[in-house]
Amino acid sequence: MDNNSSEQNQTLTPEKEFSEKLTFRDYLIATEQKANQPLPIWRLVAPLVVQVGLILAVPSQAMYTEMTGKTVILQTIPAYSNSILQGSSVTFDYNISRTDTLRRLPGWQDWVEQNSLRNDRINQGSTLYLVLQEQRSFNRGVPPAWRPVRVSSDRPIYLPNNQVALKGNYQDGLVNYGLENYYVSEEQRQQINEDLARLQQSRNRRRTPVTVKVKVDPQGNAVPTSMWIGDRNYRF
């Protein structure tokens, strides 16, 4: 009997012999010791880095656009002060956002065909690139708005220096360029309201257009940098 046990012990592999000697209590002790060990520093830092990166992504994009972008001048559709000022922000309604303006441009029909459903309705969120051309002026004061010249589904690669491609997205019958809303300080808001009221009074209550200066980067993204109401410039 002893000889048989000795022979069985000799045939056991090291792994099997260790597993037979390990008790359930040993397993619990080892598990508890592992749970009490401090986490590696990288496991604590990595989620924080990801969260910070997400928070800074939008400001970084705006800073990149403002640093690398080309200056473009846009003009809003004339509006009353209560249409422009809403709460603590200014709301801009551009003529280039309206399909009535865009459908007159070369490339519009091709864009519609490429981005429409079977019922001829344009897909919500469809991307559009609007090519704008600089309008030269030798007069001092508020610069003239850039003129829209064509529409494209794909971002134009080669454009002359006096043109730029502005990226927009179709939504609910309008094209949004990310330039429609911008927050202003309470002091600016009061001054804007006074300027709009003054201009409307001097023009027999006619609606007042606003000229907006933006920066457009090579990818077509844009950020507003300032605006003119009359001859007064407001920086964002």
Side-chain angles (χ1 to χ4, degrees):
M1 186 70 177
D2 294 338
N3 291 336
N4 290 337
S5 298
S6 176
E7 290 177 359
Q8 290 179 359
N9 290 335
Q10 291 178 359
T11 59
L12 291 175
T13 62
E15 293 81 1
K16 188 173 182 180
E17 183 178 1
F18 175 77
S19 64
E20 289 186 353
K21 292 181 179 179
L22 183 66
T23 65
F24 183 68
R25 181 173 179 275
D26 296 330
Y27 171 77
L28 292 178
I29 294 174
T31 302
E32 184 178 358
Q33 290 176 346
K34 184 176 181 180
N36 292 332
Q37 290 180 354
L39 289 174
I41 187 65
W42 66 268
R43 293 187 63 180
L44 298 174
V45 174
L48 181 61
V49 171
V50 172
Q51 293 179 12
V52 172
L54 292 174
I55 293 173
L56 295 178
V58 174
S60 297
Q61 175 63 54
M63 290 176 61
Y64 168 79
T65 300
E66 188 165 352
M67 291 176 61
T68 64
K70 180 179 291 187
T71 298
V72 174
I73 307 299
L74 305 176
Q75 191 174 61
T76 68
I77 293 175
Y80 297 110
S81 59
N82 58 0
S83 300
I84 297 174
L85 289 168
Q86 296 186 6
S88 59
S89 66
V90 289
T91 300
F92 300 128
D93 185 6
Y94 301 96
N95 59 353
I96 58 173
S97 297
R98 304 294 182 92
T99 55
D100 290 342
T101 299
L102 299 175
R103 64 164 45 101
R104 296 195 294 264
L105 300 177
W108 171 256
Q109 194 57 44
D110 291 338
W111 180 84
V112 171
E113 292 176 359
Q114 294 180 35
N115 295 278
S116 294
L117 301 170
R118 293 182 179 179
N119 58 3
D120 294 332
R121 295 184 61 183
I122 301 174
N123 284 310
Q124 299 292 313
S126 295
T127 299
L128 172 146
Y129 289 92
L130 175 64
V131 178
L132 298 164
Q133 182 168 306
E134 182 180 10
Q135 299 292 96
R136 289 191 175 183
S137 174
F138 299 98
N139 297 326
R140 293 184 177 182
V142 181
W146 286 40
R147 180 172 60 91
V149 293
R150 63 185 173 93
V151 171
S152 175
S153 295
D154 301 317
R155 181 171 62 87
I157 303 300
Y158 302 106
L159 291 173
N161 291 331
N162 65 339
Q163 292 185 356
V164 71
L166 179 62
K167 182 180 179 180
N169 290 284
Y170 179 85
Q171 197 71 38
D172 298 328
L174 296 172
V175 177
N176 298 318
Y177 301 97
L179 301 168
E180 289 73 26
N181 294 281
Y182 207 83
Y183 289 98
V184 294
S185 65
E186 180 62 25
E187 182 180 355
Q188 282 184 317
R189 186 179 185 280
Q190 292 177 1
Q191 186 64 59
I192 290 170
N193 193 43
E194 292 175 5
D195 285 343
L196 288 171
R198 174 177 52 82
L199 288 171
Q200 289 170 10
Q201 185 175 8
S202 65
R203 297 174 182 179
N204 296 322
R205 305 297 296 176
R206 287 187 300 172
R207 295 183 296 175
T208 304
V210 177
T211 303
V212 183
K213 181 166 72 172
V214 306
K215 285 291 190 73
V216 183
D217 69 20
Q219 286 71 45
N221 303 306
V223 293
T225 58
S226 71
M227 70 175 179
W228 285 270
I229 297 178
D231 56 0
R232 189 193 299 273
N233 183 257
Y234 292 88
R235 289 194 56 83
F236 297 129

